[in-house]
Short mmCIF file of all heavy atoms in Angstrom, two decimals:
data_model
loop_
_atom_site.label_atom_id
_atom_site.label_comp_id
_atom_site.label_asym_id
_atom_site.label_seq_id
_atom_site.Cartn_x
_atom_site.Cartn_y
_atom_site.Cartn_z
N VAL A 260 -11.07 32.62 -1.02
CA VAL A 260 -10.27 33.42 -0.14
C VAL A 260 -10.32 34.85 -0.39
O VAL A 260 -10.21 35.23 -1.56
CB VAL A 260 -8.87 32.81 -0.09
CG1 VAL A 260 -8.81 31.44 0.53
CG2 VAL A 260 -8.19 32.62 -1.47
N TYR A 261 -10.43 35.60 0.57
CA TYR A 261 -10.32 37.10 0.43
C TYR A 261 -8.92 37.46 0.74
O TYR A 261 -8.40 37.25 1.91
CB TYR A 261 -11.31 37.73 1.50
CG TYR A 261 -12.78 37.56 1.19
CD1 TYR A 261 -13.68 38.12 2.08
CD2 TYR A 261 -13.17 36.84 0.12
CE1 TYR A 261 -15.02 38.01 1.90
CE2 TYR A 261 -14.54 36.65 -0.06
CZ TYR A 261 -15.47 37.17 0.79
OH TYR A 261 -16.84 37.04 0.53
N GLU A 262 -8.24 38.07 -0.23
CA GLU A 262 -6.80 38.35 -0.13
C GLU A 262 -6.62 39.81 0.06
O GLU A 262 -7.10 40.63 -0.71
CB GLU A 262 -6.03 37.88 -1.33
CG GLU A 262 -4.56 38.18 -1.25
CD GLU A 262 -3.89 37.67 -2.38
OE1 GLU A 262 -4.50 37.15 -3.41
OE2 GLU A 262 -2.59 37.74 -2.39
N SER A 263 -5.98 40.29 1.13
CA SER A 263 -5.65 41.69 1.43
C SER A 263 -4.79 42.20 0.35
O SER A 263 -4.17 41.51 -0.48
CB SER A 263 -5.06 41.81 2.71
OG SER A 263 -3.66 41.34 2.64
N ASN A 264 -4.73 43.52 0.19
CA ASN A 264 -3.68 44.12 -0.53
C ASN A 264 -2.32 43.72 -0.02
O ASN A 264 -2.17 43.45 1.09
CB ASN A 264 -3.82 45.70 -0.48
CG ASN A 264 -5.02 46.24 -1.11
OD1 ASN A 264 -5.47 45.60 -2.20
ND2 ASN A 264 -5.61 47.31 -0.72
N GLY A 265 -1.39 43.47 -1.05
CA GLY A 265 -0.11 42.85 -0.62
C GLY A 265 1.09 43.78 -0.73
O GLY A 265 0.98 45.04 -0.94
N ILE A 266 2.21 43.19 -0.35
CA ILE A 266 3.55 43.97 -0.47
C ILE A 266 4.28 43.34 -1.60
O ILE A 266 4.71 42.15 -1.50
CB ILE A 266 4.24 43.91 0.86
CG1 ILE A 266 3.38 44.33 2.06
CG2 ILE A 266 5.56 44.72 0.75
CD1 ILE A 266 4.05 43.93 3.31
N ARG A 267 4.47 44.12 -2.66
CA ARG A 267 5.33 43.54 -3.79
C ARG A 267 6.78 43.54 -3.34
O ARG A 267 7.30 44.50 -2.80
CB ARG A 267 5.12 44.50 -5.05
CG ARG A 267 3.74 44.35 -5.58
CD ARG A 267 3.34 45.56 -6.39
NE ARG A 267 4.09 45.79 -7.50
CZ ARG A 267 3.72 45.33 -8.77
NH1 ARG A 267 2.60 44.62 -8.82
NH2 ARG A 267 4.40 45.54 -9.83
N ARG A 268 7.49 42.50 -3.65
CA ARG A 268 8.89 42.37 -3.25
C ARG A 268 9.05 42.50 -1.72
O ARG A 268 9.92 43.18 -1.22
CB ARG A 268 9.88 43.21 -3.97
CG ARG A 268 10.04 43.00 -5.45
CD ARG A 268 11.12 43.85 -6.03
NE ARG A 268 11.36 43.26 -7.44
CZ ARG A 268 12.10 43.93 -8.34
NH1 ARG A 268 12.62 45.04 -8.14
NH2 ARG A 268 12.30 43.35 -9.57
N GLY A 269 8.14 41.71 -1.03
CA GLY A 269 8.19 41.78 0.43
C GLY A 269 9.45 41.19 1.03
O GLY A 269 10.39 41.93 1.48
N MET A 270 9.60 39.86 1.14
CA MET A 270 10.74 39.26 1.77
C MET A 270 11.87 39.37 0.85
O MET A 270 13.06 39.20 1.15
CB MET A 270 10.43 37.80 2.15
CG MET A 270 9.36 37.64 3.12
SD MET A 270 9.58 38.65 4.73
CE MET A 270 11.18 37.91 5.30
N TRP A 271 11.69 39.64 -0.41
CA TRP A 271 12.73 39.93 -1.37
C TRP A 271 13.63 41.10 -0.90
O TRP A 271 14.86 41.22 -1.03
CB TRP A 271 12.22 40.45 -2.75
CG TRP A 271 13.23 40.76 -3.75
CD1 TRP A 271 13.80 39.99 -4.75
CD2 TRP A 271 13.78 42.14 -3.97
NE1 TRP A 271 14.65 40.75 -5.51
CE2 TRP A 271 14.63 42.02 -5.05
CE3 TRP A 271 13.51 43.37 -3.29
CZ2 TRP A 271 15.31 43.15 -5.54
CZ3 TRP A 271 14.23 44.46 -3.83
CH2 TRP A 271 15.09 44.32 -4.86
N THR A 272 12.95 42.00 -0.16
CA THR A 272 13.66 43.21 0.45
C THR A 272 14.77 42.73 1.39
O THR A 272 15.78 43.33 1.58
CB THR A 272 12.65 44.17 1.13
OG1 THR A 272 11.59 44.31 0.30
CG2 THR A 272 13.28 45.49 1.40
N VAL A 273 14.43 41.59 2.16
CA VAL A 273 15.39 41.04 3.13
C VAL A 273 16.59 40.44 2.30
O VAL A 273 17.84 40.69 2.68
CB VAL A 273 14.72 40.00 3.90
CG1 VAL A 273 15.74 39.24 4.83
CG2 VAL A 273 13.70 40.60 4.87
N SER A 274 16.32 39.78 1.24
CA SER A 274 17.44 39.36 0.38
C SER A 274 18.17 40.44 -0.15
O SER A 274 19.53 40.29 -0.28
CB SER A 274 16.76 38.48 -0.75
OG SER A 274 16.07 37.46 -0.32
N TRP A 275 17.52 41.52 -0.56
CA TRP A 275 18.27 42.68 -1.07
C TRP A 275 19.21 43.24 -0.09
O TRP A 275 20.30 43.58 -0.33
CB TRP A 275 17.16 43.73 -1.42
CG TRP A 275 17.69 45.13 -1.69
CD1 TRP A 275 18.31 45.65 -2.70
CD2 TRP A 275 17.72 46.25 -0.67
NE1 TRP A 275 18.60 47.01 -2.48
CE2 TRP A 275 18.33 47.31 -1.21
CE3 TRP A 275 17.32 46.33 0.61
CZ2 TRP A 275 18.41 48.55 -0.56
CZ3 TRP A 275 17.44 47.60 1.43
CH2 TRP A 275 18.03 48.67 0.67
N PHE A 276 18.80 43.32 1.23
CA PHE A 276 19.60 43.86 2.38
C PHE A 276 20.81 43.05 2.63
O PHE A 276 21.89 43.45 2.91
CB PHE A 276 18.76 44.07 3.58
CG PHE A 276 19.50 44.65 4.70
CD1 PHE A 276 20.01 45.95 4.67
CD2 PHE A 276 19.84 43.80 5.76
CE1 PHE A 276 20.86 46.43 5.75
CE2 PHE A 276 20.64 44.27 6.90
CZ PHE A 276 21.05 45.66 6.85
N LYS A 277 20.57 41.68 2.63
CA LYS A 277 21.57 40.68 2.79
C LYS A 277 22.78 40.92 1.69
O LYS A 277 23.86 40.83 1.99
CB LYS A 277 21.16 39.31 2.65
CG LYS A 277 20.33 38.83 3.85
CD LYS A 277 19.66 37.56 3.70
CE LYS A 277 20.46 36.41 3.08
NZ LYS A 277 19.73 35.18 2.84
N LYS A 278 22.36 41.18 0.47
CA LYS A 278 23.30 41.40 -0.53
C LYS A 278 24.13 42.64 -0.30
O LYS A 278 25.25 42.77 -0.67
CB LYS A 278 22.66 41.45 -1.94
CG LYS A 278 22.06 40.14 -2.39
CD LYS A 278 21.49 40.21 -3.70
CE LYS A 278 20.92 38.82 -4.21
NZ LYS A 278 20.18 38.99 -5.55
N LEU A 279 23.48 43.65 0.30
CA LEU A 279 24.18 44.96 0.57
C LEU A 279 25.27 44.71 1.57
O LEU A 279 26.36 45.28 1.50
CB LEU A 279 23.22 46.03 1.15
CG LEU A 279 22.26 46.72 0.08
CD1 LEU A 279 21.53 47.80 0.87
CD2 LEU A 279 23.04 47.33 -1.04
#
Side-chain angles (χ1 to χ4, degrees):
V260 283
Y261 293 178
E262 181 178 6
S263 71
N264 291 326
I266 308 172
R267 295 154 65 90
R268 285 189 174 168
M270 296 309 296
W271 176 94
T272 316
V273 173
S274 300
W275 165 84
F276 180 69
K277 284 168 51 182
K278 289 180 181 178
L279 283 186

